[in-house]
Amino acid sequence: MTVRSSAEATRVVAITVLTAALLLGSTARAAEPAAVTHYVLDPAKSSLEFNFLQAGAQNKGRFTRFQVVLDFAAENLAASRLDVTVDINSVDTGDQERDDTLRGAELFAVTKFAQAHFAASQINRTASGYEAVGKLTIRGMTHDARVPFAFRTATENGAAVGYMTGKTSVRRLDYGVGQGDWKATDQLGNEVGVSFALRLTAH
């Protein structure tokens, strides 16, 4: 009896330890954060546009060259990142004279500040989608910035893609875009609206 009881007790302990180990392993696996997907821009199917008030009239423009890198997982926003670089020299408002003025020393000063850059290491969920929180640098000046956006994924031709859309605004004078006479806002408004529609491919 003593031998059987000891063996039974050993078996019970072994089963208990094995069960605990399996449960702990399952819990650890469940706690593992979701892997982020690395996305890069599909330039041919993406747009970055802006609108501004000039001489009392609304005008629009766009940047034709820019890069976007997004590491994203809706279930792991803590590890999600966004990085955007814009070639300012690619500005296009449909008016060559105005574009040359925008590239000039008193506005974007592209010979000295060729790029604008937004880097976000924090992405938050909002009621309508997401918000990227980071630093925006234009004309060598950097400020905190928040960019709201919507994001959806799809599978196209067997490949994973993401669609990112949103709108925000920038005060140009905060970044020194407007020196001399261009500091006045009666001819060129201070508030510049920015909108984007991006197609991103997973890599």
Side-chain angles (χ1 to χ4, degrees):
M1 291 293 292
T2 302
V3 174
R4 286 196 297 271
S5 297
S6 178
E8 181 68 18
T10 300
R11 189 173 72 84
V12 170
V13 170
I15 290 173
T16 302
V17 171
L18 179 60
T19 301
L22 289 172
L23 287 172
L24 285 172
S26 175
T27 302
R29 286 191 297 274
E32 289 178 1
V36 297
T37 301
H38 182 70
Y39 294 94
V40 297
L41 185 71
D42 178 357
K45 297 181 179 179
S46 301
S47 64
L48 176 59
E49 300 177 339
F50 60 93
N51 61 79
F52 57 98
L53 190 66
Q54 183 180 18
Q58 280 290 339
N59 292 271
K60 296 199 304 182
R62 61 179 183 143
F63 293 100
T64 60
R65 294 189 299 274
F66 54 96
Q67 299 176 352
V68 178
V69 176
L70 174 67
D71 293 321
F72 185 81
E75 302 79 14
N76 189 5
L77 293 180
S80 298
R81 303 285 185 270
L82 174 64
D83 192 274
V84 181
T85 302
V86 181
D87 179 355
I88 299 298
N89 201 50
S90 72
V91 65
D92 177 13
T93 65
D95 184 314
Q96 186 64 51
E97 183 178 353
R98 180 166 56 196
D99 292 347
D100 290 341
T101 300
L102 286 170
R103 296 185 184 104
E106 292 189 330
L107 288 165
F108 281 116
V110 297
T111 56
K112 188 175 181 180
F113 306 104
Q115 296 179 334
H117 182 229
F118 176 67
S121 58
Q122 179 182 344
I123 296 180
N124 301 322
R125 196 182 304 275
T126 66
S128 57
Y130 303 94
E131 181 182 62
V133 182
K135 301 285 187 179
L136 175 62
T137 301
I138 303 174
R139 212 178 188 275
M141 301 183 69
T142 302
H143 294 288
D144 294 334
R146 295 174 176 268
V147 178
F149 67 93
F151 187 80
R152 67 178 179 88
T153 58
T155 301
E156 298 175 359
N157 299 320
V161 300
Y163 287 92
M164 183 178 182
T165 57
K167 294 180 179 180
T168 188
S169 63
V170 176
R171 290 189 295 269
R172 64 179 180 87
L173 294 177
D174 288 352
Y175 297 88
V177 182
Q179 302 295 310
D181 292 342
W182 292 107
K183 283 186 176 181
T185 58
D186 55 340
Q187 287 297 309
L188 183 62
N190 188 29
E191 201 84 10
V192 179
V194 180
S195 61
F196 51 90
L198 313 177
R199 184 181 188 270
L200 305 161
T201 58
H203 285 256

